[in-house]
């Protein structure tokens, strides 16, 4: 489960150590020294996880966390707070601002790697490699195979990611802009009507096994994946 991680940490030593260890664990790390740098980066890129130091020069990690949680675009991104402060009250404050987890320095890189895996599993099930199944439609992230009632279906890479996202988030309506953020991620300048193009391709691919009806249009709202009518 390789993730794109944004690390916001002003101490060069810790930054280097985490970059090295997370890189070895298969993750891609982008590091920035302060909240301003993080906000700049987030304008164009949505990471899978944000590691956020509490004490930063300028805007604090806590304030940045609060700000990200108040913005719909960043709400799905898991945040792990890193801090030198270990008081129980700090921990509560950290989690109250909407952080998903909280690690007190010094922590072992191994502990961090396992916490990252845990938040990803919780917040972003499409990042895991578990096979998913709905009404005879099966998707296996490891072999990159999709079958409908046992029959192999041909999907392009974007349709595959779109279907994986839908299957791990059933029964919820997603606006085109949300799908762009979640499935296209980095490329936020893609136009919203691109989503419609790929939805059409996905439905076409699913037609072979009659699963195209699972991808439903919700008028005025977006799209939903559902086995119900
Ligand atoms: Ca710091």
């Amino acid at each position: 489960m390789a993730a794109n991680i944004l690390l916001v940490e002003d101490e060069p030593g810790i930054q280097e150590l985490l970059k090295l260890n997370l890189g070895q664990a298969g993750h891609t790390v982008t590091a920035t020294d302060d909240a301003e740098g993080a906000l700049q980066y987030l304008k164009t890129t949505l990471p899978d996880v944000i590691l956020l130091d509490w004490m930063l020069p300028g805007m604090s990690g806590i304030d940045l966390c609060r700000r990200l949680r108040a913005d719909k675009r960043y709400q799905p991104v898991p945040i792990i707070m890193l801090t030198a402060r270990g008081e129980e009250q700090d921990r509560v404050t950290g989690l109250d601002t909407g952080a998903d987890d909280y690690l007190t320095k010094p922590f072992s890189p191994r502990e961090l790697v396992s916490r990252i895996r845990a938040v990803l599993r919780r917040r972003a099930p499409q990042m895991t490699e578990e096979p998913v199944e709905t009404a005879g439609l099966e998707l296996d992230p490891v072999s990159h195979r999709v079958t409908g009632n046992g029959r192999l279906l041909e999907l392009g890479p974007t349709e595959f990611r779109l279907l994986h996202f839908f299957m791990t988030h059933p029964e919820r309506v997603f606006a085109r802009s949300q799908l762009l953020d979640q499935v296209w991620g980095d490329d936020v300048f893609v136009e919203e009507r691109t989503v419609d193009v790929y939805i059409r391709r996905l439905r076409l691919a699913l037609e072979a096994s009659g699963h195209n009806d699972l991808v439903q249009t919700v008028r005025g709202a977006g799209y939903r994946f559902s086995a119900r009518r």
Side-chain angles (χ1 to χ4, degrees):
M1 200 186 348
N4 287 314
I5 299 176
L6 173 64
L7 168 65
V8 193
E9 166 65 75
D10 60 312
E11 282 155 72
I14 297 181
Q15 210 186 83
E16 280 313 305
L17 179 76
L18 293 185
K19 268 166 108 170
L20 183 74
N21 281 283
L22 296 174
Q24 280 170 353
H27 301 301
T28 305
V29 182
T30 304
T32 170
D33 301 332
D34 57 17
E36 285 68 30
L39 287 168
Q40 200 58 39
Y41 175 84
L42 288 167
K43 269 187 203 163
T44 55
T45 311
L46 272 186
D48 300 313
V49 182
I50 300 174
L51 301 179
L52 184 52
D53 185 28
W54 180 307
M55 302 287 278
L56 292 169
M59 188 193 294
S60 75
I62 282 287
D63 287 340
L64 177 60
C65 183
R66 234 178 241 130
R67 188 157 156 185
L68 295 178
R69 281 297 171 252
D71 189 327
K72 219 173 163 196
R73 174 168 145 83
Y74 305 119
Q75 275 165 11
V77 183
I79 298 176
I80 300 178
M81 295 287 308
L82 309 176
T83 178
R85 313 165 64 152
E87 302 287 320
E88 188 56 29
Q89 187 50 46
D90 288 344
R91 194 189 156 77
V92 172
T93 309
L95 296 175
D96 268 359
T97 54
D100 293 82
D101 205 350
Y102 180 103
L103 267 175
T104 306
K105 293 174 189 170
F107 51 80
S108 75
R110 223 161 113 202
E111 169 78 9
L112 178 61
V113 168
S114 85
R115 299 283 192 101
I116 290 171
R117 197 178 307 126
V119 290
L120 284 176
R121 197 161 282 157
R122 223 159 50 220
R123 297 276 302 232
Q126 80 275 16
M127 295 278 308
T128 71
E129 296 187 330
E130 313 278 314
V132 273
E133 191 272 330
T134 305
L137 180 67
E138 291 178 63
L139 180 148
D140 184 348
V142 177
S143 65
H144 237 258
R145 248 190 216 117
V146 178
T147 54
N149 303 323
R151 169 182 183 167
L152 193 63
L153 303 177
E154 288 293 333
L155 267 74
T158 304
E159 295 93 296
F160 183 89
R161 285 206 308 278
L162 187 59
L163 181 62
H164 194 196
F165 178 75
F166 272 139
M167 291 184 80
T168 49
H169 299 80
E171 304 298 337
R172 274 159 63 182
V173 180
F174 291 97
R176 288 169 179 78
S177 60
Q178 288 174 309
L179 291 172
L180 277 180
D181 277 349
Q182 294 289 324
V183 178
W184 278 260
D186 287 7
D187 205 354
V188 291
F189 301 115
V190 174
E191 285 180 67
E192 293 200 357
R193 64 162 178 254
T194 303
V195 174
D196 302 331
V197 171
Y198 281 96
I199 290 278
R200 214 175 304 134
R201 288 190 192 169
L202 175 59
R203 282 184 177 142
L204 203 63
L206 299 181
E207 248 176 44
S209 61
H211 286 98
N212 48 308
D213 289 348
L214 298 180
V215 182
Q216 302 170 354
T217 303
V218 183
R219 200 172 293 190
Y223 295 102
R224 172 181 57 209
F225 185 83
S226 174
R228 284 186 255 153
R229 295 297 143 135

